[in-house]
Amino acid sequence: MSTFIVPQLLAKLKLLNSYGRFENLADIAGEFDISEDAVRFWSKETAGQDAGTIPPKRIDKLLSLFAETLPNQSNSDIEVLLKGPLADLEDAMRLGEHRALRKTLCGRTDMKSGRLIPVNIFGLGLVVANRPSRKAHCKFPLGQSFRLEFTSQHQGRYLLGIQKSPQGWGCIEADWSADRGLIHMPGMTEAGDFGSLDESSDDGVSQFFAFQSTRQFPSVFAKSLMDEVPLSRSEISLLAQFVQETPETDVHVMRFDVEFINPVSV
């Protein structure tokens, strides 16, 4: 077998921390059943090996680890990326994380159960809500308040709301009315009223997901919601992994797409 050399090996392995399911290099080393020091030794140039030389019996495992974050790439493509520039590999992994989630959700997402409800729409001549769009379920003006409802017969007690906007992914609070079979996004206020959302700046299509599960979601999503921060790369990968590992009978995924546009007079 020809020598398998990965330039900037440690930097490329660290990408598995940023884009994959690993916390550190020790976790990655554990996948090979070796120590962290042994992995670091691969990156060093010695009298008997070039820096970045991967032992032949470890090559398949290395390719499989990167395949988790590069789901649309063949092993030969991944090999080219590993042996090439660091920036090319990171670019591919950045695209791969979003593709992994989209691929996981494809075919198991309910696109028919959601609806948008305008809240406190004042004034005449604004673009009306619920006008069909070629890109989304409806068009809706920027800066106007709304809420979403999803009809569900699933009995999962755990909910997770997600918005995929042109700028990234983020969590949205959601509540479940079991007696009515409705998921409300956002959740109810402390006063017991329906909450509302508004999109002030990100025009274009946003995808709103409601996840309802019999399994509790990883705690990082509750923290992201509390801190009001976007989801990180590793959290997006974690969501894809959660859905992949949960049977369809235990997690129900619903989606409603909104095309946000600038209000115009008629």
Side-chain angles (χ1 to χ4, degrees):
M1 179 180 291
S2 60
T3 304
F4 196 107
I5 298 175
V6 179
Q8 297 179 275
L9 173 62
L10 292 183
K12 289 175 179 175
L13 289 175
K14 285 181 180 179
L15 293 178
L16 292 175
N17 299 334
S18 299
Y19 294 91
R21 56 186 171 87
F22 303 101
E23 293 294 329
N24 48 49
L25 185 60
D27 288 344
I28 297 171
E31 292 290 316
F32 295 96
D33 294 322
I34 59 177
S35 68
E36 180 179 346
D37 287 341
V39 173
R40 291 186 182 279
F41 179 77
W42 296 349
S43 69
K44 298 177 181 179
E45 182 176 358
T46 68
Q49 72 172 29
D50 294 320
T53 298
I54 308 300
K57 66 179 181 179
R58 308 293 187 183
I59 294 173
D60 287 345
K61 171 58 73 172
L62 180 71
L63 293 173
S64 71
L65 295 182
F66 279 91
E68 293 179 11
T69 56
L70 296 166
N72 292 329
Q73 305 279 3
S74 66
N75 276 357
S76 59
D77 291 334
I78 294 172
E79 180 176 343
V80 170
L81 288 167
L82 286 173
K83 293 180 177 180
L86 176 65
D88 289 354
L89 177 60
E90 184 167 15
D91 286 345
M93 294 176 77
R94 186 180 295 114
L95 290 174
E97 67 185 357
H98 294 161
R99 287 175 178 164
L101 182 55
R102 288 197 295 268
K103 183 178 180 181
T104 299
L105 298 179
C106 182
R108 56 185 298 182
T109 301
D110 177 359
M111 300 286 289
K112 298 180 180 180
S113 63
R115 66 170 180 151
L116 180 147
I117 303 172
V119 177
N120 296 330
I121 298 295
F122 298 106
L124 299 175
L126 292 176
V127 176
V128 297
N130 294 330
R131 178 180 296 171
S133 161
R134 288 182 300 174
K135 302 177 182 178
H137 289 94
C138 74
K139 294 180 180 179
F140 197 74
L142 288 168
Q144 297 288 352
S145 298
F146 66 97
R147 62 186 179 88
L148 297 171
E149 282 186 351
F150 295 88
T151 303
S152 173
Q153 301 303 315
H154 197 275
Q155 296 304 308
R157 58 179 292 197
Y158 300 105
L159 299 175
L160 176 64
I162 296 286
Q163 178 184 1
K164 166 63 174 73
S165 76
Q167 301 302 316
W169 300 75
C171 289
I172 300 176
E173 188 176 358
D175 277 333
W176 168 234
S177 295
D179 56 335
R180 301 173 61 193
L182 290 176
I183 295 173
H184 307 284
M185 189 185 297
M188 310 293 284
T189 67
E190 292 183 359
D193 301 321
F194 291 118
S196 64
L197 302 166
D198 68 80
E199 182 55 66
S200 59
S201 58
D202 282 351
D203 59 346
V205 176
S206 278
Q207 300 168 355
F208 293 89
F209 292 91
F211 296 83
Q212 185 179 18
S213 176
T214 58
R215 289 179 56 199
Q216 189 168 6
F217 294 96
S219 60
V220 294
F221 299 110
K223 186 177 187 304
S224 175
L225 177 63
M226 182 179 300
D227 296 342
E228 298 183 346
V229 295
L231 293 177
S232 67
R233 294 186 294 261
S234 61
E235 289 163 348
I236 294 170
S237 297
L238 182 62
L239 180 57
Q241 182 182 353
F242 178 89
V243 177
Q244 286 173 343
E245 295 178 351
T246 305
E248 291 189 43
T249 54
D250 292 336
V251 62
H252 185 43
V253 185
M254 295 148 281
R255 173 178 148 190
F256 190 85
D257 295 352
V258 181
E259 183 180 3
F260 292 104
I261 56 178
N262 290 308
V264 296
S265 298
V266 296

